[in-house]
Amino acid sequence: MTAKLILTGDVNLMNVSDPEVPFRRVRPAFQAADLVFSNLECCLYEPPNGHSVDNEGFYVAPSVAQAALTQAGIRAVGLANNVNYGEAAIMNSVSRLDQAGIAHTGAGADLQAARRPAIVDCGGVRAGFLQRTSVYWPTHHEARAESAGVAVIRGNTAYQLPMHKMRPEIPPMNRPGLPPVILTWAEPSYLKSFQEDIAALREQADFVVASCHWGLKEDVLDYMTEIGHAAIDAGADMVIGHGPHYSLPVEVYQGKPIFYGLGSFSFHTGHNGKKHGDWVGMMVRAGIGKNGVEQASFQFVRHNDENETVLCPLAGEQATLEKIRRRSAPFGTRLTENGDEVCVDLGSGARR
């Protein structure tokens, strides 16, 4: 039995007044799948006293957003990200999703609730999802034992003087102004908890997806690879990343895909009320079964002036594909074209 799973990047429904609009051009693709999972980068909540756009938190009209998600057929979402912020906003959003019957993971009334997985039937396959964010605010955002918030994996940053020829592009250390090498890594205790949760979910679900909000611009940082590999080592069948709003490289690790960045999927308004323009994202299609991922591909999507997400013909995205292919090459990933989709060769990947 092969079930059809679709995974998307960031969904933000700010400034949406008609729930039909954002997903109407992709609804046929969604309807052809058994399950759609998205990163929900907004809260279904309206602050009683209004909200300044230069403050953290992306708040959307609850009834409109709930209808948009339901009509699109999005059946599960991740909530662990940098804009699901504030106890009232998170709890109202969770309540609305529960009313709509949309499964969720990554945020809740306390740490236990935030770490809880979403388990959803996907064409006869029990699909389990866990989401964590490494991009979040240092106070009042991380879920605690007795307070609401999002589930996180803390990341660390260090700056190393390049005293040796570590990479070809690094100049020799005989000149002033040489920039440091930026090192990142996941906090071990948080990574261990994530692996424990994945292993526990492995006992409950046939297919496990680890969803991670991470990244900085277009770089695949060391901590992202560390988390992705750790998730698969613990039992995840697939890893998807989101957060920087860029389409990032793909890796195949132990025969399982890691999509480091799916970019935006439905995203009209960002920080400071800024309208997001003609971004390009990736919609993943996966054939899954009780023995894991059987095939994985992606199609590029863009955003038009009507705030619709549009599936892109691959013929018009050759430059985008070439960039993804070039940046995926160091991982040993092979990508092949099939109509408007890009197929990931699950037998590829660098030898380890």
Side-chain angles (χ1 to χ4, degrees):
M1 175 192 303
T2 299
K4 297 177 181 178
L5 174 65
I6 283 179
L7 303 130
T8 85
D10 303 317
V11 169
N12 174 351
L13 300 171
M14 292 172 68
N15 290 328
V16 172
S17 57
D18 183 348
E20 282 284 331
V21 172
F23 304 109
R24 62 188 172 195
R25 298 279 292 272
V26 296
R27 190 175 294 123
F30 282 8
Q31 291 173 339
D34 295 298
L35 176 63
V36 179
F37 175 89
S38 299
N39 172 54
L40 185 61
E41 197 161 10
C42 59
C43 282
L44 282 62
Y45 174 67
E46 290 179 306
N49 298 317
H51 177 69
S52 176
V53 295
D54 61 357
N55 285 335
E56 192 52 40
F58 284 0
Y59 304 137
V60 303
S63 58
V64 174
Q66 182 177 326
L69 295 170
T70 302
Q71 292 171 18
I74 296 174
R75 294 176 50 213
V77 296
L79 301 176
N81 53 60
N82 55 300
V83 303
N84 279 290
Y85 184 84
E87 180 176 0
I90 287 173
M91 296 314 301
N92 276 270
S93 190
V94 165
S95 177
R96 281 282 185 165
L97 293 169
D98 288 339
Q99 291 174 25
I102 298 173
H104 51 85
T105 181
D110 53 31
L111 181 57
Q112 182 179 13
R115 288 174 59 175
R116 190 174 298 136
I119 303 176
V120 190
D121 176 74
C122 179
V125 177
R126 283 174 60 83
F129 302 87
L130 280 169
Q131 185 157 310
R132 297 290 187 272
T133 183
S134 298
V135 183
Y136 63 100
W137 299 95
T139 57
H140 309 302
H141 198 183
E142 178 182 349
R144 303 288 189 172
E146 297 178 350
S147 62
V150 297
V152 312
I153 298 178
R154 288 185 183 177
N156 298 297
T157 306
Y159 301 94
Q160 179 184 29
L161 291 175
M163 298 180 67
H164 307 283
K165 194 70 172 175
M166 301 164 61
R167 294 196 298 267
E169 69 272 18
I170 296 178
M173 194 184 174
N174 64 349
R175 61 204 67 199
L178 192 65
V181 175
I182 300 173
L183 306 177
T184 62
W185 68 97
E187 186 70 26
S189 62
Y190 283 74
L191 190 58
K192 182 174 182 291
S193 294
F194 188 40
Q195 288 189 293
E196 290 171 350
D197 286 352
I198 290 172
L201 179 56
R202 179 81 270 171
E203 298 299 315
Q204 305 173 63
D206 302 315
F207 189 87
V208 173
V209 177
S211 178
C212 300
H213 204 68
W214 57 19
L216 178 67
K217 297 184 179 180
E218 296 186 77
D219 295 324
V220 176
L221 301 171
D222 290 340
Y223 84 95
M224 297 160 63
T225 301
E226 180 187 15
I227 293 172
H229 289 187
I232 289 174
D233 289 341
D237 295 290
M238 177 182 292
V239 178
I240 61 168
H242 34 78
H245 308 298
Y246 290 97
S247 295
L248 300 183
V250 182
E251 179 182 11
V252 178
Y253 174 72
Q254 307 292 2
K256 301 174 181 181
I258 302 174
F259 293 90
Y260 280 107
L262 299 184
S264 297
F265 189 79
S266 179
F267 212 105
H268 178 272
T269 307
H271 293 281
N272 297 312
K274 181 180 178 181
K275 180 181 177 180
H276 280 216
D278 186 29
W279 43 255
V280 59
M282 298 157 70
M283 184 184 81
V284 171
R285 292 184 175 95
I288 67 172
K290 295 185 178 181
N291 294 319
V293 59
E294 298 174 6
Q295 65 84 24
S297 63
F298 61 88
Q299 185 171 357
F300 293 114
V301 297
R302 285 189 181 269
H303 179 245
N304 66 19
D305 288 337
E306 284 72 46
N307 195 29
E308 299 170 318
T309 298
V310 181
L311 292 168
C312 299
L314 190 55
E317 295 292 346
Q318 287 299 308
T320 309
L321 174 58
E322 177 55 32
K323 186 175 183 179
I324 296 292
R325 182 176 275 134
R326 184 177 67 252
R327 301 193 70 218
S328 300
F331 296 111
T333 310
R334 289 195 296 269
L335 303 174
T336 59
E337 300 177 34
N338 181 21
D340 289 326
E341 294 186 69
V342 181
C343 298
V344 181
D345 182 349
L346 299 177
S348 64
R351 293 185 178 182
R352 301 181 188 280

